[in-house]
Amino acid sequence: MKKVEAIIRPFKLDEVKIALVNAGIVGMTISEVRGFGRQKGQTERYRGSEYTVEFLQKLKIEVVVEDDQVDMVIDKIVNASRTGEIGDGKIFIAPIEQIVRIRTGERNGEAI
């Protein structure tokens, strides 16, 4: 099993969620995060003064899937969240050793 973590623009959440649900992905975790990459923040104006916002607001989507679903999930996230501009985000893949559903004690594939 693998955990797919995607950092995306906030306004793309609905498109990504619909794409994943339509692909049969039944669970995901969403977190509000802040950060910067190549964008290095952005300059904004407020009442005539310029200031720099160093950490931009993004969303992190976490999904745990079977190994054979990883490429499909990546494709769905990329296609739904891409704008073609700097700051579209990143996707990270990490192995998951074990999953346990607390309520029932089910493990691994049954617990997803």
Side-chain angles (χ1 to χ4, degrees):
M1 286 177 284
K2 304 280 188 212
K3 178 160 94 171
V4 179
E5 290 184 10
I7 309 295
I8 65 167
R9 297 175 186 265
F11 67 88
K12 288 293 194 172
L13 176 61
D14 285 338
E15 292 175 53
V16 172
K17 184 188 95 167
I18 289 167
L20 291 175
V21 168
N22 288 343
I25 304 303
V26 294
M28 63 186 74
T29 301
I30 310 298
S31 306
E32 291 182 9
V33 296
R34 293 180 153 301
F36 71 90
R38 288 187 186 164
Q39 283 176 293
K40 297 184 178 91
Q42 63 191 46
T43 302
E44 295 187 2
R45 288 187 157 286
Y46 179 72
R47 294 187 176 182
S49 299
E50 279 191 5
Y51 65 97
T52 302
V53 177
E54 292 182 12
F55 295 101
L56 301 175
Q57 190 168 13
K58 303 285 184 177
L59 291 179
K60 178 165 69 170
I61 300 172
E62 296 173 280
V63 179
V64 176
V65 295
E66 296 290 342
D67 290 353
D68 62 340
Q69 294 179 304
V70 171
D71 290 333
M72 178 268 300
V73 167
I74 291 170
D75 290 342
K76 297 292 183 186
I77 293 171
V78 167
N79 291 332
S81 63
R82 177 183 287 151
T83 67
E85 301 292 323
I86 291 175
D88 276 351
K90 297 263 190 308
I91 298 175
F92 304 96
I93 313 301
I96 297 294
E97 291 184 23
Q98 191 173 35
I99 300 172
V100 177
R101 178 174 286 143
I102 294 171
R103 178 178 55 88
T104 62
E106 294 171 307
R107 293 179 180 264
N108 301 323
E110 295 172 356
I112 297 179

